[in-house]
Amino acid sequence: MRIWLLILTCAALTSCTLGVQYPYSKVAEQRLLDQVLAGALVPDGEDIMYLTPAFESQLHQRIDPSWPAPRRLAELRIFLFADDELDIRYRSGVTRTAMETYAARSGNCLSLTNLFVATARSLGINAYFQQVDIRPTWGQKGSLTIRYEHVVAAGHLPNGLRYVVDFLPDAMFGEIDRVPSADRDARSMFFSNKGAEQLLKGDQMGAIHYLQQAVRLSPDSSSAWTNMGAAQRRAGNLELAEFSYLHALQRSQQNLSALNNLAALYDAQGRVHDAEEITKRVQRYRRRNPYYHFLLANRFFDAGQFLEAEVLLQAAIRLKDDDPSFYRALALTYAQLGDERQARQMRQRANRLGGSDPVALDPGLSHRFRVDRSDPNEGAIARIQNRSQ
């Protein structure tokens, strides 16, 4: 799935920060926090992984919980996604709970991951959420700029292997973070998505309600706070919008999305100097950010402009020469240009850096599946995180 965030994204370089001052005293911060969260309900709301007894009975009749874990996992993938069984499919733009996904037979990647994690746990299979860094992706819905994030299902098998199930058809990401995401953070992403979807429908108050739940669940989520800023601005609460954007930047100085939206807010308020200063800072950051060049190269590649894509990919490599994704993309570009020798060299460089070609979609099950050797500490981390939620 692509998680809808009403912000512009750029992959962060940890060595580069965007340095906006946080001007609030503790008293002022608390006053504004109280206003942002005014009227918010305690976030117990929708149970994103609830399964009805009838569906669990159907699940357990199809898959015996006493079977070995690898067999249960294989049969679960077939049961949920094979076209001659439930045939549940990826559909962007719609965030659903596990049961809503089952009923609709479709959902975005968070929706499908909700269903997969819930059913796997029901069968006694170790399963958890895993947030993934996608290469920067931009989208536009009217006047809103949207950032996409991604989540997959992962877990551990008794034989010391880790599996990953990924539902996004065209993701471009590198190694998946080894630290599992807590259930609480997955719920926060769910509410943040729902808030974005409501905002795109023009329902500002509905969006704010969902986003209040998101930031209560994950107070340090820079993305959720950036979404809150977009919702508050749409609702006409400009002071709270500015506070939300700055709060997002306080949590992640690399949040280029919050900076862009903050510049747009200042420009709309007539604060031309403040807007220009932020815009210049963003432009300087982009020039130094290899993933921005990588994004533009992908756009030129998709448009069939392969020479332009080659130039941008070479620029990305000059800025960061240890990302195998750049060399894989350059190999594809050289192949389109008919230079198989260069394409082969780029593939070899990617492999030397530890990169492998992205796992292909399983043609019968519409998702990617891979297994690798697990970190012995990873399962313990997942158990501790989810037991505490």
Side-chain angles (χ1 to χ4, degrees), residues 6-311:
L6 307 178
I7 47 182
L8 184 65
T9 190
C10 194
L13 299 179
T14 56
S15 61
C16 177
T17 61
L18 295 161
V20 172
Q21 287 191 334
Y22 190 67
Y24 304 105
S25 67
K26 290 293 184 183
V27 172
E29 179 185 59
Q30 190 58 55
R31 174 181 64 83
L32 291 165
L33 277 172
D34 290 343
Q35 290 182 42
V36 169
L37 297 174
L41 300 175
V42 175
D44 55 5
E46 297 168 83
D47 185 346
I48 64 175
M49 289 189 290
Y50 171 73
L51 302 178
T52 65
F55 177 61
E56 278 203 288
S57 176
Q58 178 188 3
L59 174 67
H60 288 207
Q61 286 176 9
R62 170 64 178 78
I63 303 168
D64 189 336
S66 68
W67 288 344
R71 182 181 176 186
R72 277 175 279 153
L73 179 61
E75 292 295 333
L76 178 60
R77 294 171 56 219
I78 293 169
F79 173 60
L80 293 176
F81 306 115
D83 56 11
D84 59 348
E85 296 217 29
L86 293 183
D87 193 24
I88 296 171
R89 296 282 158 171
Y90 171 85
R91 179 185 174 190
S92 65
V94 182
T95 304
R96 296 179 167 128
T97 65
M99 286 308 302
E100 288 170 346
T101 304
Y102 165 72
R105 297 297 196 270
S106 67
N108 59 21
C109 73
L110 181 56
S111 308
L112 296 175
T113 304
N114 288 338
L115 178 61
F116 189 88
V117 171
T119 51
R121 289 179 180 177
S122 176
L123 293 168
I125 302 169
N126 178 270
Y128 52 82
F129 296 89
Q130 191 87 74
Q131 194 163 350
V132 177
D133 288 332
I134 291 186
R135 301 310 180 212
T137 308
W138 279 261
Q140 194 77 30
K141 293 281 184 178
S143 62
L144 293 173
T145 309
I146 296 172
R147 173 187 175 185
Y148 299 120
E149 290 185 337
H150 186 43
V151 67
V152 300
H156 301 276
L157 299 172
N159 54 6
L161 296 176
R162 181 186 71 150
Y163 69 86
V164 176
V165 185
D166 171 33
F167 302 104
L168 182 58
D170 56 354
M172 292 184 297
F173 53 86
E175 287 301 305
I176 293 174
D177 186 355
R178 287 277 181 170
V179 179
S181 299
D183 287 1
R184 175 181 289 270
D185 293 327
R187 292 183 65 212
S188 176
M189 285 187 280
F190 175 86
F191 288 122
S192 188
N193 265 25
K194 298 293 284 186
E197 291 167 9
Q198 290 303 113
L199 193 55
L200 291 171
K201 294 175 184 177
D203 180 8
Q204 289 91 348
M205 296 314 297
I208 289 172
H209 168 73
Y210 277 120
L211 290 165
Q212 285 173 329
Q213 297 188 67
V215 298
R216 278 187 177 273
L217 284 163
S218 293
D220 290 329
S221 170
S222 184
S223 295
W225 276 106
T226 310
N227 281 1
M228 178 64 83
Q232 294 290 352
R233 183 182 174 188
R234 278 292 184 90
N237 304 322
L238 301 188
E239 183 185 20
L240 298 184
E242 179 182 13
F243 170 73
S244 297
Y245 292 141
L246 290 170
H247 209 62
L249 289 164
Q250 180 76 352
R251 272 129 191 83
S252 174
Q253 281 287 310
Q254 292 88 20
N255 189 336
L256 189 64
S257 311
L259 265 185
N260 273 282
N261 281 354
L262 186 61
L265 175 64
Y266 287 160
D267 188 60
Q269 291 177 311
R271 297 166 61 178
V272 177
H273 176 73
D274 291 336
E276 287 178 348
E277 285 299 308
I278 290 176
T279 300
K280 289 176 184 176
R281 196 171 301 176
V282 170
Q283 290 171 346
R284 288 195 299 270
Y285 179 81
R286 283 179 174 174
R287 286 195 295 269
R288 299 195 303 270
N289 190 337
Y291 294 105
Y292 182 69
H293 295 280
F294 181 64
L295 168 72
L296 294 180
N298 274 276
R299 287 182 175 174
F300 278 111
F301 185 95
D302 290 342
Q305 296 175 258
F306 303 116
L307 288 173
E308 291 83 352
E310 179 197 4
V311 170

Side-chain angles (χ1 to χ4, degrees), residues 304-330:
Q305 296 175 258
F306 303 116
L307 288 173
E308 291 83 352
E310 179 197 4
V311 170
L312 287 161
L313 288 167
Q314 292 286 9
I317 289 170
R318 284 195 297 273
L319 290 165
K320 183 174 173 59
D321 63 4
D322 61 353
D323 190 325
S325 300
F326 297 166
Y327 295 98
R328 285 199 296 267
L330 194 52

